[in-house]
Amino acid sequence: MKIKMISMLALTIVLTSCSSTKKTSTENSKDSMVAQETSNTTSNTAVINNNRTTLNNETSTARKSSNSTNEYAPMYSSLEMTDEQIRKFSTAMDQFKGKQANMASGEMLGTIENERTRQLETILSSSQLAKYEKWLMDNQ
């Protein structure tokens, strides 16, 4: 009878310990799944935010290009510039303005007017350049 009682007690202890181990591993598994879902959500949020940033940068670049086109529109028509010349000039000026804004001593690059003249000298034909010089005197 004592042996049966000891055996039952030992069996109960073993089963109880196995049951609590199973609960602990189940809880750890649930915690792991929650942590992974949180990680996936964070990762997806980062991708969405990155896509928004990219879209905002592209929109900002388009606006800058559009602003520079509008800013120089009277000059473009006076000089009878082609679409290709306008595109080259706008791109060069946007790059210059970006460089100037991002440098601590951006003024060392020169003025926008000097850069405009330098760029137009490389882009315009000789007849257009003569028109530019006349336009420059009339508009300064």
Side-chain angles (χ1 to χ4, degrees), residues 19-56:
S19 173
S20 67
T21 303
K22 185 176 179 181
K23 287 179 185 175
T24 303
S25 70
T26 302
E27 288 171 4
N28 288 343
S29 178
K30 286 179 184 176
D31 290 344
S32 174
M33 287 172 53
V34 168
Q36 187 170 357
E37 286 176 12
T38 303
S39 173
N40 288 345
T41 302
T42 303
S43 178
N44 289 342
T45 302
V47 169
I48 289 169
N49 287 339
N50 189 27
N51 288 342
R52 284 183 187 154
T53 301
T54 301
L55 182 58
N56 287 341

Side-chain angles (χ1 to χ4, degrees), residues 40-109:
N40 288 345
T41 302
T42 303
S43 178
N44 289 342
T45 302
V47 169
I48 289 169
N49 287 339
N50 189 27
N51 288 342
R52 284 183 187 154
T53 301
T54 301
L55 182 58
N56 287 341
N57 287 343
E58 289 171 0
T59 303
S60 174
T61 302
R63 281 188 195 139
K64 284 180 188 174
S65 182
S66 174
N67 287 343
S68 114
T69 301
N70 293 337
E71 178 183 356
Y72 295 112
M75 181 186 74
Y76 296 154
S77 62
S78 294
L79 303 180
E80 300 172 355
M81 292 175 69
T82 65
D83 289 341
E84 180 65 19
Q85 288 174 319
I86 292 170
R87 186 190 59 73
K88 284 181 182 178
F89 176 74
S90 294
T91 301
M93 291 305 292
D94 288 343
Q95 287 175 348
F96 175 78
K97 289 175 184 176
K99 255 192 233 179
Q100 193 178 41
N102 291 328
M103 289 183 68
S105 58
E107 67 275 357
M108 293 184 76
L109 292 173

